Coordinates of all heavy atoms in Angstrom, one line a residue:
M24 N -9.3 32.3 5.3 CA -10.2 31.8 4.3 C -9.4 31.5 3.0 O -8.5 32.3 2.6 CB -11.3 32.5 3.9 CG -12.2 32.9 5.1 SD -13.9 32.2 4.7 CE -14.6 32.4 6.3
S25 N -9.6 30.4 2.4 CA -9.1 30.1 1.0 C -10.2 30.0 0.0 O -11.3 29.7 0.3 CB -8.4 28.7 1.1 OG -7.3 28.7 1.9
N26 N -9.8 30.3 -1.2 CA -10.7 30.3 -2.3 C -10.2 29.4 -3.4 O -9.1 29.2 -3.7 CB -10.9 31.7 -2.9 CG -11.5 32.6 -1.9 OD1 -12.6 32.3 -1.4 ND2 -10.9 33.8 -1.7
I27 N -11.2 28.6 -4.0 CA -11.1 27.9 -5.2 C -11.8 28.6 -6.3 O -12.9 29.0 -6.1 CB -11.6 26.4 -5.0 CG1 -10.8 25.7 -3.9 CG2 -11.6 25.6 -6.4 CD1 -11.3 24.3 -3.5
D28 N -11.0 28.7 -7.4 CA -11.6 29.3 -8.7 C -11.2 28.5 -9.9 O -10.0 28.6 -10.2 CB -11.2 30.7 -8.7 CG -11.9 31.6 -9.8 OD1 -12.7 31.0 -10.6 OD2 -11.7 32.8 -9.7
I29 N -12.1 27.8 -10.5 CA -11.7 26.9 -11.6 C -12.7 27.3 -12.8 O -13.8 27.3 -12.6 CB -11.9 25.4 -11.3 CG1 -11.0 25.0 -10.1 CG2 -11.6 24.6 -12.5 CD1 -11.3 23.7 -9.5
R30 N -12.1 27.5 -13.9 CA -12.9 27.7 -15.2 C -12.6 26.7 -16.2 O -11.4 26.3 -16.3 CB -12.6 29.1 -15.8 CG -13.2 30.2 -15.0 CD -13.1 31.6 -15.8 NE -13.6 32.6 -15.0 CZ -14.9 33.0 -15.1 NH1 -15.7 32.4 -15.9 NH2 -15.3 34.0 -14.3
R31 N -13.6 26.2 -16.8 CA -13.3 25.0 -17.8 C -14.3 25.3 -19.0 O -15.4 25.5 -18.8 CB -13.7 23.7 -17.1 CG -13.7 22.5 -18.0 CD -12.3 22.0 -18.2 NE -11.4 21.7 -17.0 CZ -11.3 20.5 -16.6 NH1 -11.8 19.4 -17.2 NH2 -10.5 20.3 -15.5
S32 N -13.7 25.4 -20.2 CA -14.5 25.5 -21.4 C -15.2 24.2 -21.7 O -14.6 23.2 -21.5 CB -13.6 26.1 -22.6 OG -13.1 27.3 -22.3
H33 N -16.3 24.3 -22.5 CA -16.9 23.0 -22.9 C -17.6 23.4 -24.2 O -17.9 24.5 -24.5 CB -17.8 22.4 -21.9 CG -19.0 23.2 -21.7 ND1 -20.1 23.0 -22.5 CD2 -19.4 24.1 -20.8 CE1 -21.2 23.8 -22.1 NE2 -20.7 24.4 -21.1
A34 N -17.9 22.3 -25.0 CA -18.7 22.5 -26.3 C -20.0 21.6 -26.2 O -20.6 21.4 -27.3 CB -17.8 22.0 -27.3
R35 N -20.5 21.3 -25.1 CA -21.7 20.5 -25.0 C -22.9 21.4 -25.0 O -22.9 22.6 -24.5 CB -21.8 19.7 -23.6 CG -20.7 18.6 -23.6 CD -20.9 17.9 -22.3 NE -20.0 16.8 -22.2 CZ -20.0 15.9 -21.3 NH1 -20.8 16.0 -20.3 NH2 -19.1 14.9 -21.2
P36 N -24.0 20.9 -25.4 CA -25.3 21.7 -25.2 C -25.5 21.9 -23.7 O -25.0 21.1 -22.8 CB -26.4 20.7 -25.8 CG -25.7 19.9 -26.7 CD -24.3 19.6 -26.0
L37 N -26.2 23.0 -23.4 CA -26.4 23.4 -22.0 C -27.0 22.3 -21.1 O -26.6 22.0 -20.1 CB -27.2 24.7 -21.9 CG -27.3 25.3 -20.5 CD1 -26.0 25.6 -19.9 CD2 -28.1 26.5 -20.6
K38 N -28.0 21.5 -21.7 CA -28.7 20.6 -21.0 C -27.7 19.4 -20.7 O -27.7 18.9 -19.6 CB -29.8 19.9 -21.9 CG -30.6 18.9 -21.1 CD -31.9 18.5 -22.0 CE -32.7 17.5 -21.2 NZ -33.8 17.1 -22.0
E39 N -26.8 19.0 -21.5 CA -25.8 18.0 -21.2 C -24.8 18.4 -20.3 O -24.3 17.7 -19.4 CB -25.1 17.6 -22.5 CG -26.0 16.8 -23.5 CD -25.2 16.2 -24.7 OE1 -24.0 16.3 -24.7 OE2 -25.9 16.1 -25.7
A40 N -24.4 19.7 -20.4 CA -23.4 20.2 -19.4 C -24.0 20.2 -18.0 O -23.3 19.9 -17.0 CB -23.0 21.6 -19.8
R41 N -25.3 20.6 -17.8 CA -26.0 20.6 -16.5 C -26.0 19.2 -16.1 O -25.7 18.9 -14.8 CB -27.3 21.1 -16.6 CG -27.4 22.7 -16.6 CD -28.9 23.2 -16.7 NE -29.7 22.5 -15.7 CZ -30.2 23.1 -14.7 NH1 -30.0 24.4 -14.5 NH2 -31.1 22.4 -13.8
A42 N -26.3 18.2 -16.8 CA -26.3 16.8 -16.5 C -24.9 16.4 -15.9 O -24.8 15.6 -15.0 CB -26.8 15.9 -17.6
A43 N -23.9 16.8 -16.6 CA -22.6 16.4 -16.2 C -22.2 17.0 -14.9 O -21.6 16.4 -14.0 CB -21.5 16.9 -17.3
I44 N -22.6 18.3 -14.6 CA -22.3 19.0 -13.4 C -23.1 18.3 -12.3 O -22.6 18.2 -11.1 CB -22.6 20.5 -13.6 CG1 -21.5 21.2 -14.4 CG2 -22.6 21.1 -12.2 CD1 -20.2 20.9 -13.9
E45 N -24.3 17.8 -12.6 CA -25.1 17.0 -11.6 C -24.3 15.8 -11.1 O -24.3 15.5 -10.0 CB -26.4 16.7 -12.2 CG -27.3 15.9 -11.2 CD -27.9 16.7 -10.1 OE1 -28.2 17.9 -10.4 OE2 -28.2 16.2 -9.1
R46 N -23.6 15.2 -12.1 CA -22.8 14.0 -11.7 C -21.6 14.4 -10.9 O -21.2 13.7 -10.0 CB -22.4 13.2 -13.0 CG -23.6 12.5 -13.6 CD -23.1 11.6 -14.8 NE -22.5 12.3 -15.9 CZ -23.2 12.8 -16.9 NH1 -24.6 12.7 -16.9 NH2 -22.6 13.4 -17.9
V47 N -21.0 15.5 -11.3 CA -19.9 16.1 -10.5 C -20.3 16.4 -9.2 O -19.6 16.0 -8.1 CB -19.2 17.3 -11.2 CG1 -18.3 18.0 -10.3 CG2 -18.5 17.0 -12.5
A48 N -21.4 17.0 -9.0 CA -22.0 17.3 -7.6 C -22.2 16.1 -6.8 O -22.0 16.1 -5.6 CB -23.2 18.2 -7.8
E49 N -22.7 15.1 -7.4 CA -22.9 13.8 -6.6 C -21.6 13.3 -6.1 O -21.6 12.8 -5.0 CB -23.6 12.8 -7.6 CG -25.1 13.1 -7.9 CD -25.7 12.1 -9.0 OE1 -24.9 11.3 -9.4 OE2 -26.8 12.4 -9.4
H50 N -20.6 13.3 -6.9 CA -19.3 12.8 -6.4 C -18.7 13.7 -5.3 O -18.3 13.2 -4.2 CB -18.3 12.9 -7.6 CG -18.4 11.9 -8.6 ND1 -18.3 10.5 -8.3 CD2 -18.7 12.0 -9.9 CE1 -18.6 9.8 -9.5 NE2 -18.8 10.7 -10.4
I51 N -18.9 15.0 -5.5 CA -18.4 16.1 -4.4 C -19.2 15.8 -3.2 O -18.6 15.8 -2.0 CB -18.5 17.5 -5.0 CG1 -17.6 17.6 -6.1 CG2 -18.3 18.5 -3.8 CD1 -17.7 19.0 -6.8
A52 N -20.5 15.7 -3.3 CA -21.3 15.4 -2.1 C -21.0 14.2 -1.3 O -20.9 14.2 -0.1 CB -22.8 15.4 -2.5
E53 N -20.7 13.2 -2.1 CA -20.3 11.9 -1.4 C -18.9 11.9 -0.8 O -18.8 11.5 0.4 CB -20.4 10.8 -2.4 CG -20.1 9.5 -1.8 CD -20.0 8.4 -3.0 OE1 -21.1 8.3 -3.8 OE2 -19.1 7.5 -3.1
K54 N -18.0 12.5 -1.4 CA -16.7 12.7 -0.9 C -16.5 13.6 0.3 O -15.8 13.4 1.2 CB -15.7 13.1 -2.2 CG -14.2 13.2 -1.8 CD -13.5 11.8 -1.9 CE -12.1 12.0 -1.6 NZ -11.4 10.9 -1.8
F55 N -17.2 14.9 0.1 CA -17.0 15.9 1.0 C -18.2 16.2 1.9 O -18.1 17.3 2.6 CB -16.4 17.1 0.3 CG -15.2 17.0 -0.4 CD1 -15.1 17.0 -1.8 CD2 -14.0 16.8 0.2 CE1 -13.9 16.8 -2.4 CE2 -12.8 16.6 -0.3 CZ -12.7 16.6 -1.7
D56 N -19.2 15.3 1.7 CA -20.4 15.5 2.6 C -21.0 16.9 2.5 O -21.3 17.6 3.5 CB -20.1 15.3 4.1 CG -21.3 15.1 4.9 OD1 -22.4 14.6 4.4 OD2 -21.3 15.4 6.1
V57 N -21.2 17.4 1.2 CA -21.8 18.7 1.0 C -23.3 18.5 0.5 O -23.7 17.5 -0.1 CB -21.1 19.6 0.0 CG1 -19.7 20.0 0.5 CG2 -21.1 18.9 -1.3
E58 N -24.1 19.5 0.8 CA -25.4 19.6 0.2 C -25.4 20.5 -1.0 O -24.8 21.5 -1.0 CB -26.4 20.0 1.2 CG -26.5 19.1 2.4 CD -27.6 19.4 3.4 OE1 -28.5 20.2 3.0 OE2 -27.7 18.9 4.5
Y59 N -26.2 20.1 -1.9 CA -26.2 21.0 -3.2 C -27.7 21.1 -3.8 O -28.5 20.3 -3.5 CB -25.3 20.4 -4.3 CG -25.6 19.1 -4.8 CD1 -26.4 19.1 -5.9 CD2 -25.3 17.9 -4.2 CE1 -26.7 17.7 -6.4 CE2 -25.6 16.7 -4.6 CZ -26.3 16.6 -5.7 OH -26.6 15.3 -6.3
G60 N -27.9 22.1 -4.6 CA -29.2 22.2 -5.3 C -28.9 23.3 -6.4 O -28.0 24.1 -6.4
W61 N -29.9 23.2 -7.4 CA -29.8 24.2 -8.5 C -30.5 25.5 -8.1 O -31.6 25.5 -7.6 CB -30.4 23.5 -9.8 CG -29.6 22.5 -10.4 CD1 -29.7 21.2 -10.1 CD2 -28.5 22.7 -11.2 NE1 -28.7 20.5 -10.8 CE2 -28.0 21.4 -11.6 CE3 -27.8 23.8 -11.7 CZ2 -26.8 21.3 -12.3 CZ3 -26.8 23.6 -12.6 CH2 -26.2 22.4 -12.9
N62 N -30.0 26.6 -8.7 CA -30.6 27.9 -8.7 C -30.4 28.4 -10.1 O -29.3 29.0 -10.5 CB -30.0 28.8 -7.7 CG -30.7 30.2 -7.6 OD1 -31.7 30.4 -8.2 ND2 -30.1 31.1 -6.8
G63 N -31.3 28.2 -11.0 CA -31.2 28.5 -12.4 C -30.1 27.5 -13.1 O -30.1 26.3 -12.8
N64 N -29.1 28.2 -13.6 CA -28.0 27.3 -14.2 C -26.8 27.3 -13.3 O -25.7 27.1 -13.8 CB -27.6 27.8 -15.6 CG -28.7 27.5 -16.6 OD1 -29.2 26.4 -16.5 ND2 -28.9 28.3 -17.6
T65 N -27.0 27.5 -12.0 CA -25.9 27.5 -11.0 C -26.2 26.4 -10.0 O -27.3 26.5 -9.4 CB -25.9 29.0 -10.4 OG1 -25.5 29.9 -11.4 CG2 -24.6 28.9 -9.4
M66 N -25.2 25.5 -9.8 CA -25.3 24.6 -8.7 C -24.7 25.2 -7.6 O -23.5 25.5 -7.5 CB -24.6 23.3 -9.1 CG -24.3 22.3 -8.0 SD -25.7 21.3 -7.6 CE -26.0 20.5 -9.2
E67 N -25.5 25.2 -6.4 CA -24.9 25.9 -5.2 C -24.6 24.7 -4.2 O -25.4 23.8 -4.1 CB -25.9 26.8 -4.5 CG -26.2 28.1 -5.5 CD -27.2 28.9 -5.0 OE1 -28.1 28.5 -4.1 OE2 -27.3 30.1 -5.5
F68 N -23.6 24.7 -3.5 CA -23.3 23.7 -2.5 C -22.7 24.3 -1.2 O -22.1 25.4 -1.3 CB -22.3 22.6 -3.1 CG -21.0 23.2 -3.7 CD1 -19.8 23.2 -2.8 CD2 -20.8 23.6 -4.9 CE1 -18.7 23.7 -3.3 CE2 -19.7 24.2 -5.4 CZ -18.5 24.1 -4.5
S69 N -23.0 23.6 -0.2 CA -22.5 24.1 1.1 C -22.4 23.0 2.2 O -23.0 22.0 2.0 CB -23.3 25.2 1.6 OG -24.5 24.8 2.0
R70 N -21.6 23.2 3.2 CA -21.5 22.5 4.4 C -20.8 23.3 5.4 O -20.2 24.4 5.0 CB -20.9 21.1 4.3 CG -19.4 21.2 3.9 CD -18.6 19.9 4.1 NE -18.1 20.0 5.4 CZ -17.2 19.2 5.8 NH1 -16.9 18.1 5.1 NH2 -16.6 19.2 7.0
G71 N -20.6 22.9 6.6 CA -19.8 23.7 7.5 C -18.4 23.9 7.0 O -17.8 22.8 6.6
G72 N -17.9 25.0 6.8 CA -16.6 25.4 6.4 C -16.5 25.4 4.9 O -15.2 25.7 4.3
V73 N -17.5 25.4 4.1 CA -17.3 25.6 2.7 C -18.7 26.0 2.1 O -19.8 25.6 2.4 CB -16.8 24.2 1.9 CG1 -17.8 23.2 2.0 CG2 -16.6 24.6 0.5
D74 N -18.6 27.0 1.2 CA -19.7 27.5 0.4 C -19.2 27.7 -0.9 O -18.1 28.3 -1.1 CB -20.3 28.8 1.0 CG -21.1 28.7 2.3 OD1 -21.9 27.9 2.3 OD2 -20.6 29.3 3.3
G75 N -20.1 27.4 -1.9 CA -19.6 27.5 -3.4 C -20.7 27.4 -4.3 O -21.8 27.1 -4.0
H76 N -20.3 27.5 -5.6 CA -21.2 27.3 -6.7 C -20.5 26.8 -7.9 O -19.3 27.1 -8.0 CB -22.1 28.5 -6.9 CG -21.4 29.6 -7.5 ND1 -20.8 30.6 -6.7 CD2 -21.2 30.0 -8.8 CE1 -20.2 31.5 -7.6 NE2 -20.5 31.1 -8.8
I77 N -21.2 26.2 -8.8 CA -20.7 25.8 -10.2 C -21.8 26.4 -11.1 O -22.8 25.9 -11.2 CB -20.7 24.3 -10.3 CG1 -19.8 23.7 -9.2 CG2 -20.1 23.9 -11.7 CD1 -19.8 22.1 -9.2
A78 N -21.3 27.5 -11.8 CA -22.1 28.1 -12.8 C -21.9 27.4 -14.2 O -20.7 27.3 -14.6 CB -21.7 29.6 -12.9
V79 N -23.0 27.0 -14.8 CA -22.9 26.5 -16.2 C -23.4 27.4 -17.2 O -24.6 27.9 -17.0 CB -23.8 25.2 -16.1 CG1 -23.7 24.4 -17.5 CG2 -23.4 24.2 -15.0
S80 N -22.6 27.7 -18.2 CA -23.2 28.5 -19.3 C -23.1 27.6 -20.7 O -22.4 26.6 -20.6 CB -22.3 29.8 -19.4 OG -21.0 29.6 -20.0
P81 N -23.5 28.2 -21.7 CA -23.3 27.4 -23.0 C -21.9 27.2 -23.4 O -21.6 26.3 -24.2 CB -24.1 28.3 -24.0 CG -25.1 29.1 -23.3 CD -24.3 29.4 -21.9
K82 N -20.9 27.9 -22.9 CA -19.5 27.8 -23.3 C -18.5 27.4 -22.2 O -17.5 26.9 -22.5 CB -19.0 29.1 -23.8 CG -19.9 29.4 -25.1 CD -19.2 30.7 -25.8 CE -20.0 31.0 -27.1 NZ -19.5 32.1 -27.8
D83 N -19.0 27.6 -20.9 CA -18.0 27.2 -19.9 C -18.6 26.8 -18.5 O -19.8 27.0 -18.4 CB -16.9 28.3 -19.7 CG -17.5 29.5 -19.0 OD1 -18.6 29.7 -18.8 OD2 -16.6 30.5 -18.7
I84 N -17.8 26.3 -17.7 CA -18.1 25.9 -16.3 C -17.3 26.8 -15.4 O -16.0 26.9 -15.7 CB -17.8 24.5 -16.1 CG1 -18.4 23.5 -17.1 CG2 -18.1 24.0 -14.6 CD1 -19.9 23.5 -17.1
H85 N -17.9 27.4 -14.4 CA -17.0 28.1 -13.5 C -17.3 27.7 -12.0 O -18.5 27.8 -11.5 CB -17.4 29.7 -13.6 CG -16.5 30.5 -12.7 ND1 -16.9 31.8 -12.5 CD2 -15.3 30.3 -12.2 CE1 -16.0 32.3 -11.7 NE2 -15.0 31.6 -11.5
V86 N -16.3 27.1 -11.4 CA -16.4 26.6 -10.1 C -15.8 27.6 -9.1 O -14.6 27.9 -9.2 CB -15.7 25.2 -9.8 CG1 -15.8 24.7 -8.4 CG2 -16.3 24.2 -10.8
T87 N -16.5 28.0 -8.1 CA -15.9 28.8 -7.0 C -16.4 28.4 -5.7 O -17.4 27.8 -5.5 CB -16.3 30.3 -7.1 OG1 -17.8 30.5 -7.1 CG2 -15.9 31.0 -8.5
A88 N -15.5 28.4 -4.7 CA -15.8 28.0 -3.3 C -14.9 28.7 -2.4 O -13.7 29.1 -2.7 CB -15.5 26.5 -3.2
T89 N -15.5 29.0 -1.3 CA -14.7 29.7 -0.2 C -14.6 28.6 0.9 O -15.6 28.1 1.4 CB -15.5 30.9 0.4 OG1 -15.6 31.8 -0.8 CG2 -14.7 31.6 1.5
L90 N -13.5 28.2 1.3 CA -13.1 27.3 2.3 C -12.8 27.9 3.6 O -12.0 28.9 3.7 CB -11.9 26.4 1.9 CG -12.0 25.7 0.6 CD1 -10.8 25.0 0.3 CD2 -13.2 24.8 0.5
G91 N -13.4 27.5 4.7 CA -13.0 27.9 6.0 C -11.6 27.5 6.4 O -10.9 26.9 5.8
F92 N -11.3 27.9 7.7 CA -10.0 27.7 8.2 C -9.5 26.3 8.1 O -8.4 26.0 7.5 CB -9.8 28.2 9.6 CG -8.5 28.0 10.2 CD1 -7.4 28.8 9.9 CD2 -8.3 27.0 11.2 CE1 -6.2 28.6 10.4 CE2 -7.0 26.8 11.7 CZ -6.0 27.5 11.4
L93 N -10.3 25.4 8.6 CA -9.9 23.9 8.7 C -9.8 23.3 7.2 O -8.8 22.6 7.0 CB -10.8 23.1 9.6 CG -10.8 23.4 11.0 CD1 -11.9 22.6 11.7 CD2 -9.5 23.1 11.6
L94 N -10.8 23.5 6.4 CA -10.7 22.9 5.0 C -9.7 23.7 4.1 O -9.2 23.1 3.2 CB -12.1 23.0 4.4 CG -13.1 22.1 4.9 CD1 -14.4 22.3 4.3 CD2 -12.6 20.6 4.8
G95 N -9.4 24.9 4.5 CA -8.4 25.7 3.8 C -7.0 25.0 3.8 O -6.2 25.1 3.0
A96 N -6.8 24.3 5.0 CA -5.5 23.6 5.1 C -5.4 22.4 4.1 O -4.3 22.0 3.8 CB -5.4 23.0 6.5
I97 N -6.5 21.9 3.6 CA -6.5 20.9 2.5 C -7.0 21.3 1.1 O -7.6 20.6 0.4 CB -7.2 19.6 3.0 CG1 -8.6 19.8 3.3 CG2 -6.4 19.0 4.2 CD1 -9.4 18.6 3.6
K98 N -6.8 22.7 0.9 CA -7.3 23.2 -0.3 C -6.8 22.4 -1.5 O -7.6 22.1 -2.5 CB -6.9 24.7 -0.5 CG -7.3 25.3 -1.7 CD -6.7 26.6 -1.9 CE -6.9 27.2 -3.3 NZ -6.3 28.4 -3.6
G99 N -5.5 22.1 -1.6 CA -4.9 21.4 -2.7 C -5.7 20.1 -3.1 O -6.0 19.9 -4.2
P100 N -5.7 19.2 -2.1 CA -6.4 18.0 -2.4 C -7.9 18.2 -2.8 O -8.5 17.4 -3.7 CB -6.4 17.2 -1.1 CG -5.2 17.7 -0.4 CD -5.2 19.2 -0.8
I101 N -8.6 19.1 -2.2 CA -10.0 19.4 -2.6 C -10.0 19.8 -4.1 O -10.8 19.4 -4.9 CB -10.6 20.4 -1.6 CG1 -10.8 19.8 -0.3 CG2 -12.0 20.9 -2.3 CD1 -11.2 20.8 0.8
E102 N -9.1 20.8 -4.4 CA -9.1 21.3 -5.8 C -8.8 20.2 -6.7 O -9.4 20.2 -7.8 CB -8.1 22.4 -5.8 CG -8.3 23.4 -6.9 CD -7.5 24.7 -6.8 OE1 -6.5 24.8 -6.0 OE2 -7.9 25.7 -7.4
R103 N -7.9 19.3 -6.4 CA -7.4 18.2 -7.3 C -8.7 17.3 -7.6 O -8.9 16.8 -8.6 CB -6.3 17.5 -6.8 CG -4.9 18.2 -7.1 CD -3.8 17.3 -6.8 NE -3.6 17.0 -5.3 CZ -3.1 17.8 -4.4 NH1 -2.7 19.1 -4.8 NH2 -3.0 17.4 -3.2
E104 N -9.5 17.0 -6.5 CA -10.6 16.2 -6.6 C -11.6 16.8 -7.6 O -12.2 16.1 -8.4 CB -11.2 15.9 -5.3 CG -10.5 14.9 -4.5 CD -10.6 13.4 -5.1 OE1 -11.7 12.9 -5.4 OE2 -9.5 13.0 -5.3
I105 N -11.9 18.1 -7.4 CA -12.9 18.7 -8.3 C -12.4 18.7 -9.7 O -13.1 18.4 -10.7 CB -13.1 20.2 -7.9 CG1 -13.8 20.3 -6.4 CG2 -13.9 21.0 -8.9 CD1 -13.8 21.6 -5.8
Q106 N -11.0 18.9 -9.9 CA -10.4 18.9 -11.3 C -10.7 17.5 -11.9 O -10.9 17.3 -13.0 CB -8.9 19.3 -11.3 CG -8.7 20.7 -11.0 CD -8.9 21.6 -12.2 OE1 -9.4 21.3 -13.2 NE2 -8.4 22.9 -12.0
R107 N -10.4 16.5 -11.1 CA -10.6 15.2 -11.5 C -11.9 14.8 -12.0 O -12.2 14.1 -13.1 CB -10.1 14.2 -10.4 CG -10.0 12.7 -10.9 CD -9.4 11.8 -9.8 NE -10.3 11.7 -8.6 CZ -11.3 10.7 -8.5 NH1 -11.5 10.0 -9.5 NH2 -11.9 10.6 -7.4
Y108 N -12.9 15.2 -11.2 CA -14.3 14.9 -11.6 C -14.6 15.7 -12.8 O -15.4 15.2 -13.8 CB -15.2 15.3 -10.5 CG -15.1 14.6 -9.2 CD1 -15.0 15.1 -7.9 CD2 -14.9 13.2 -9.2 CE1 -14.9 14.4 -6.8 CE2 -14.9 12.3 -8.1 CZ -14.8 13.0 -6.9 OH -14.7 12.3 -5.7
L109 N -14.2 16.9 -13.1 CA -14.4 17.7 -14.2 C -13.7 17.1 -15.4 O -14.3 17.0 -16.5 CB -13.9 19.1 -14.0 CG -14.7 20.0 -13.1 CD1 -14.1 21.3 -12.9 CD2 -16.2 20.3 -13.6
D110 N -12.6 16.5 -15.2 CA -11.8 15.9 -16.2 C -12.7 14.6 -16.7 O -12.8 14.3 -17.9 CB -10.4 15.3 -15.8 CG -9.5 16.5 -15.7 OD1 -9.7 17.6 -16.2 OD2 -8.4 16.3 -15.1
E111 N -13.1 13.9 -15.8 CA -14.0 12.6 -16.1 C -15.2 13.0 -17.0 O -15.6 12.3 -17.8 CB -14.4 12.0 -14.8 CG -13.4 11.3 -14.1 CD -13.9 10.6 -12.8 OE1 -15.1 10.7 -12.5 OE2 -13.0 10.1 -12.0
E112 N -15.9 14.1 -16.6 CA -17.1 14.5 -17.4 C -16.8 15.4 -18.6 O -17.5 15.2 -19.6 CB -18.0 15.4 -16.4 CG -18.5 14.5 -15.3 CD -19.5 13.4 -15.8 OE1 -20.1 13.6 -16.8 OE2 -19.7 12.4 -15.0
F113 N -15.8 16.2 -18.6 CA -15.6 17.0 -19.8 C -14.4 16.9 -20.5 O -14.0 17.5 -21.5 CB -15.7 18.6 -19.3 CG -17.0 19.0 -18.7 CD1 -17.3 18.9 -17.4 CD2 -18.0 19.3 -19.6 CE1 -18.5 19.3 -16.9 CE2 -19.2 19.8 -19.2 CZ -19.5 19.7 -17.8
G114 N -13.6 15.8 -20.1 CA -12.3 15.5 -20.8 C -11.1 16.6 -20.8 O -11.1 17.5 -20.2

């Protein structure tokens, strides 16, 4: 199993940060065919071979994911895509 762990600071109001993460989740869902939903201020996502969440706080974003064997082989490209989407939304 491989893990992804990304932290990103932000200065947006919580409502705006959640909206930005919603857009990130839409991209991730489209690209990697994951399902997602909110549980409080945490976006949970999953599909066969991956489980993770994106926690949104007033000061930062924390992305964690556990990749199964097959997706673990492409951890780098997956991590880069997530970083790219976060860069688009949070600069």
Side-chain angles (χ1 to χ4, degrees):
M24 297 242 171
S25 292
N26 294 309
I27 292 175
D28 190 351
I29 301 168
R30 288 190 182 269
R31 174 81 54 106
S32 297
H33 72 86
R35 292 185 178 186
L37 187 58
K38 185 176 180 179
E39 286 181 24
R41 278 180 53 110
I44 290 302
E45 181 76 30
R46 291 187 295 273
V47 169
E49 289 171 3
H50 290 296
I51 292 170
E53 183 178 310
K54 180 89 175 182
F55 299 110
D56 193 31
V57 298
E58 294 186 17
Y59 65 91
W61 287 98
N62 183 5
N64 286 326
T65 301
M66 167 78 62
E67 297 174 344
F68 58 91
S69 66
R70 67 162 265 186
V73 63
D74 286 303
H76 69 270
I77 305 173
V79 183
S80 77
K82 295 185 180 186
D83 72 355
I84 306 298
H85 186 199
V86 181
T87 59
T89 301
L90 306 176
F92 178 73
L93 292 176
L94 289 177
I97 59 169
K98 174 187 173 189
I101 292 171
E102 200 164 21
R103 282 190 294 279
E104 282 294 303
I105 294 169
Q106 291 278 15
R107 185 173 68 86
Y108 296 135
L109 290 172
D110 287 346
E111 287 176 9
E112 292 295 336
F113 293 97

